[in-house]
């Protein structure tokens, strides 16, 4: 019998190596796997590359990992938030690398890794500073009269994602906009670790409603439900 | 002659007036978000938010906030019956392939050729952040800009060439400001309408760039 | 009030022009929009390019359209079936063009059109006869030591797909493996026409379980439920 | 010495023996499909079918067929509890990015360098059809071939170079035939095991190509 259920967050994270590339789901607080990030902080892996939409809030979660000096590089679309002062200070001090990626390119590059795509042409970013990699202009091409930039897949060693329900085969569902990057990150990482609020028997999640099929998930760990809190809200 | 700038609410109402029923629309963070409050009851416009929802409804009542149901500004929202959730790659596919009819975005600058600058001041000390701005600017069928006409220090946000780093090349088709509605045409800026009392010449002078009548 | 519901198949198809590129969902009988294809046969548009996984069975559906001389070209992965004699004869007589595409490239190229991708690199097909377009080798590239072929998106004017439930905003669900190409074709066509067996009120389909969000669907037409029949089954 | 070829069922059982519990496997149309019948009860292997299902179960009872629930051979199947449905692009993503552990495919020919030919005879009169063969051959972590060792006319399907159009370059890692199990190595074919009474030399002679011991 196959069971992907880990007994604890620490067991699920035990083998994350130094130097790993780690995808972290979430947009704002929704889908942010705080318990897994806390577990990673405790676990000790360092020299990490983090792939996520944001770069942490206040001093918890990702920001705590950054503050502890465990992150070498962040690949994200929106590091600047009202309470991203930990990242901001590291960045200004030149103590952390940033690869800034338009959010749709980020999602598509992650999906590309998960779908076996070696690279793809997109119009997004053409003519901008973000059509550069390490200061060098990325390849561009005219296709049917429009200009495109060649973007490459983003692979990861580990994905940490927050789901809602899961079963022992790794099937997952999400809750509302907490879905965001979870499904594509699960596809792009060698080892996907999902926290869930509810463990289901096989078949309890309708086969029509599985959002992430178990093939994309290696470990499932149950965590107590906590109310998602406001995170990085901009005053409008 | 004297004129009065539109208030933020008036500007939002003006933009809303041009959005046809049934349109798929993404309202950018900040000022554009206010457009949502100016559709008549029962007038069906499909609001998309790039973090993965379509059919966004109004803000929840105090106490009903659920931070698993947020918009791109990370503010709590509601979902209308008929709305849906999806993951980020599917969400951006909606914009990036032109399924979205209209993106309404804020801007630092818009150039006469339609270049948009709205993501980064370019200042060394500024933490850059782009989010979905480039995807929206380039992907939507039409990209509209909604902004104050002048900066706080009185400089025109309509420019011959963006001095800030650009978000997208030649992507803006229409601009709504507190002074005027302006199309971006192959010949440059062209006035659609200005607030009462403001001539096209006066607007051009104020904008420090030619605006065609 | 917005309603995408068409009163009839003929109303839904009325404006399909001659020369259109038409995607047709389905794999075997599952997801095959037979009623819409029959409607297209009646409607009269000709000189069509059909994008579908198969190229018709016996003399109904797609095969009937082919037999009536209405199809100029087929882009598909698996035209040869036990009962594909209409296609076979046209092909042998040189009366129809065939662009044969590996099934995964077909799905991915369709998705690429739906996602704004100008082209993508894939390992599938490298070194084979199918890495050619009109007899000319497609562009190839070595990426991280593996060889890739550049594939282009497939766009369509119209997609005809079979769904299970739908509402007036065009949200869709599918039934079991009848889902197959429907969701990606809906994304890739200017006008997507979906048949459904059940019309729902808004909100009756849970927002968590919408498979194709309404933004990808222009017309929904209700048809009576018919049992899906065996189609193209190979003796094993 | 005399030897006896494996029956189709014996061959299927032999392949099944090498599939570890928990593996994600796609069984190609035809002979490979039979492998599914040779897993012990309760032994959990995840069968994928490229038309959009994972967790495929056995064929339905007579009368319970539902042709909305079929496999890649268009035959009615069942879904196990814990199975799931998805669309074609997601389905092929599973293969194309190596999420699938093993693809078991039929073949016309396998070359000593691992090239596979299984989609087209190349005959002018043949209607070409490829389906998911190329995606499976190239995408899975391991591609196994399962075939009769010789053609009906007695020619070896192990070849130095495929004469039929190939499905994928250097993609086969292991071959199961009614005579032997053979690995494809950088040095060419290497025998893992042969049926009782068949020596490696005899197999090489029969195959008309060197098979290393």
């Amino acid at each position: 019998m196959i069971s992907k259920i880990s007994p604890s967050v620490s067991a699920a994270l035990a083998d994350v190596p130094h130097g790993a590339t780690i995808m972290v789901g979430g947009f704002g607080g929704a889908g942010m796997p705080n318990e897994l990030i806390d577990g990673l902080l405790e676990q000790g892996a360092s020299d990490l590359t983090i792939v996520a939409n944001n770069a942490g809030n206040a001093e918890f979660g990702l920001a705590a990992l950054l503050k502890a000096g465990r992150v070498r590089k962040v690949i994200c679309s929106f590091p600047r938030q009202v309470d991203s002062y930990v990242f901001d200070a590291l960045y200004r001090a030149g103590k952390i690398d940033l690869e800034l990626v338009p959010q749709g390119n980020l999602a598509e590059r992650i999906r590309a890794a998960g779908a076996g795509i070696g690279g793809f042409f997109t119009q997004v970013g053409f003519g901008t500073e973000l059509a550069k990699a390490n200061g060098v202009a990325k390849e561009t091409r005219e296709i049917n009269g429009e200009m495109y930039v060649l973007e490459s897949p983003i692979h990861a060693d580990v994905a940490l994602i927050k789901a809602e329900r899961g079963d022992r085969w790794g099937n997952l569902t999400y809750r509302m906009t907490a879905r965001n990057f979870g499904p594509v990150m699960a596809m792009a990482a060698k080892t996907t670790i999902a926290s869930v609020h509810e463990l289901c028997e096989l078949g309890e999640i309708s086969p029509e409603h599985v959002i992430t099929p178990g093939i994309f998930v290696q470990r499932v760990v149950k965590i107590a439900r906590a109310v998602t809190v406001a995170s990085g809200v901009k005053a409008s | 002659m004297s004129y009065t700038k539109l208030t933020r609410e008036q500007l939002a109402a003006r933009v809303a007036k041009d959005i046809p029923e049934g349109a798929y629309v993404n309202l950018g963070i900040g000022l554009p978000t206010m457009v949502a409050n100016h559709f008549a009851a029962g007038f069906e416009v499909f609001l998309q938010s790039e973090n993965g929802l379509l059919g966004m409804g109004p803000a929840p009542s105090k106490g009903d906030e659920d931070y698993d149901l947020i918009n791109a500004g990370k503010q709590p929202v509601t979902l209308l019956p008929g709305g849906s959730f999806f993951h980020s790659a599917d969400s951006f596919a909606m914009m990036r392939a032109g399924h979205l009819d209209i993106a309404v975005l804020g801007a630092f600058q818009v150039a006469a050729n339609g270049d948009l600058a709205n993501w980064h001041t370019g200042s060394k000390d500024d933490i850059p952040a782009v989010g979905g701005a480039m995807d929206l600017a380039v992907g939507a069928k039409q990209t509209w800009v909604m902004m104050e006409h002048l900066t706080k220090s009185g400089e025109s946000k309509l420019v011959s060439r963006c001095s800030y780093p650009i978000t997208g090349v030649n992507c803006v088709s229409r601009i709504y400001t507190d002074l005027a509605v302006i199309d971006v045409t192959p010949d440059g800026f062209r006035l659609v309408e200005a607030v009462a009392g403001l001539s096209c010449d006066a607007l051009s002078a104020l904008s420090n760039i030619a605006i065609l009548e």
Side-chain angles (χ1 to χ4, degrees), chain A, chain B:
Chain A
M1 197 180 95
I2 295 297
S3 178
K4 299 182 178 179
I5 299 169
S6 284
S8 66
V9 166
S10 60
L13 292 165
D15 60 358
V16 176
H18 295 303
T21 295
I22 301 188
M23 290 178 172
V24 179
F27 181 101
M32 187 68 71
N34 288 312
E35 296 81 358
L36 297 179
I37 304 169
D38 290 348
L40 187 62
L41 188 66
E42 199 172 298
Q43 188 262 6
S46 64
D47 194 31
L48 303 173
T49 295
I50 297 291
V51 182
N53 190 58
N54 305 110
N57 304 97
E59 300 187 24
F60 64 89
L62 270 184
L65 204 62
L66 265 65
K67 194 178 178 196
R70 303 269 289 283
V71 179
R72 187 177 65 76
K73 180 178 179 180
V74 172
I75 302 175
C76 78
S77 90
F78 212 85
R80 183 186 67 229
Q81 298 186 89
V82 281
D83 52 1
S84 60
Y85 53 86
V86 170
F87 173 84
D88 299 357
L90 288 169
Y91 180 76
R92 290 202 174 100
K95 289 186 175 160
I96 197 161
D97 285 346
L98 169 66
E99 180 179 343
L100 191 72
V101 182
Q103 195 177 159
N105 281 1
L106 185 66
E108 191 70 21
R109 290 175 64 189
I110 293 169
R111 182 199 173 269
I117 302 299
F120 62 89
F121 286 100
T122 176
Q123 292 179 264
V124 174
F126 176 79
T128 77
E129 286 185 11
L130 300 190
K132 291 179 186 165
N134 301 318
V136 178
K138 296 182 181 187
E139 180 176 334
T140 60
R141 180 177 299 210
E142 186 177 329
I143 300 172
N144 295 328
E146 301 286 346
M147 294 305 298
Y148 289 76
V149 182
L150 180 63
E151 291 288 349
S152 56
I154 302 176
H155 295 268
D157 299 299
V158 177
L160 305 180
I161 63 176
K162 178 178 172 169
E164 178 64 16
R165 305 173 81 200
D167 63 30
R168 67 179 173 87
W169 283 3
N171 294 305
L172 302 177
T173 67
Y174 302 84
R175 184 166 184 265
M176 303 197 282
T177 58
R179 188 182 303 188
N180 57 68
F181 284 91
V184 285
M185 288 181 170
M187 296 170 70
K190 286 194 204 89
T191 302
T192 292
I193 304 170
S195 73
V196 299
H197 290 308
E198 190 185 334
L199 284 174
C200 301
E201 294 300 314
L202 292 185
E204 268 192 82
I205 304 174
S206 160
E208 303 281 9
H209 300 155
V210 168
I211 302 301
T212 295
I215 190 172
F216 298 127
V217 178
Q218 282 67 47
R219 296 171 200 165
V220 175
V221 57
K222 189 180 173 186
I223 56 162
R225 180 180 294 287
V227 172
T228 302
V229 296
S231 172
V233 184
K234 282 186 75 158
S236 67
Chain B
M1 244 182 109
S2 76
Y3 61 88
T4 310
K5 292 195 288 188
L6 299 185
T7 65
R8 287 159 65 91
E9 289 297 345
Q10 286 171 327
L11 175 54
R14 179 61 193 85
V15 174
K17 205 181 94 175
D18 283 356
I19 296 177
E21 187 161 26
Y24 289 88
V25 181
N26 185 301
L27 301 172
I29 295 177
L31 195 52
T33 302
M34 297 170 65
V35 172
N37 304 326
H38 295 273
F39 298 115
F43 185 83
E44 295 190 338
V45 163
F46 305 108
L47 298 181
Q48 198 252 20
S49 187
E50 61 263 39
N51 53 314
L53 73 163
L54 184 64
M56 188 163 59
S61 315
K62 203 100 189 168
D64 286 344
E65 298 90 350
D66 184 329
Y67 283 89
D68 278 344
L69 177 47
I70 57 175
N71 65 13
K74 293 158 190 160
Q75 296 159 320
V77 295
T78 54
L79 193 77
L80 301 176
S84 54
F85 299 113
F86 31 81
H87 64 58
S88 299
D90 281 350
S91 183
F92 279 91
M94 291 180 190
M95 324 183 164
R96 292 159 64 98
H99 301 286
L100 211 65
D101 295 301
I102 302 165
V104 185
L105 303 175
F108 298 150
Q109 293 177 325
V110 181
N113 71 344
D115 285 1
L116 169 66
N118 77 347
W119 72 280
H120 189 22
T121 61
S123 150
K124 280 281 173 218
D125 202 44
D126 241 38
I127 307 292
V130 65
M134 289 188 180
D135 307 277
L136 280 163
V138 168
K141 282 198 192 81
Q142 293 184 61
T143 297
W144 295 355
V145 158
M146 178 180 176
M147 62 181 187
E148 283 160 5
H149 203 96
L150 305 175
T151 66
K152 276 168 196 161
S153 56
E155 285 167 276
S156 173
K157 294 183 177 180
L158 303 186
V159 295
S160 57
R161 198 171 160 186
C162 292
S163 59
Y164 290 128
I166 66 169
T167 307
V169 174
N170 190 13
C171 57
V172 176
S173 60
R174 182 166 266 209
I175 303 160
Y176 295 84
T177 79
D178 48 357
L179 295 182
V181 179
I182 295 159
D183 275 343
V184 179
T185 78
D187 301 323
F189 296 122
R190 182 177 294 278
L191 186 66
V192 176
E193 65 186 49
V195 293
L198 182 62
S199 71
C200 188
D201 284 349
L203 186 69
S204 291
L206 200 66
S207 306
N208 198 28
I209 191 165
I211 297 173
L212 305 171
E213 200 131 10

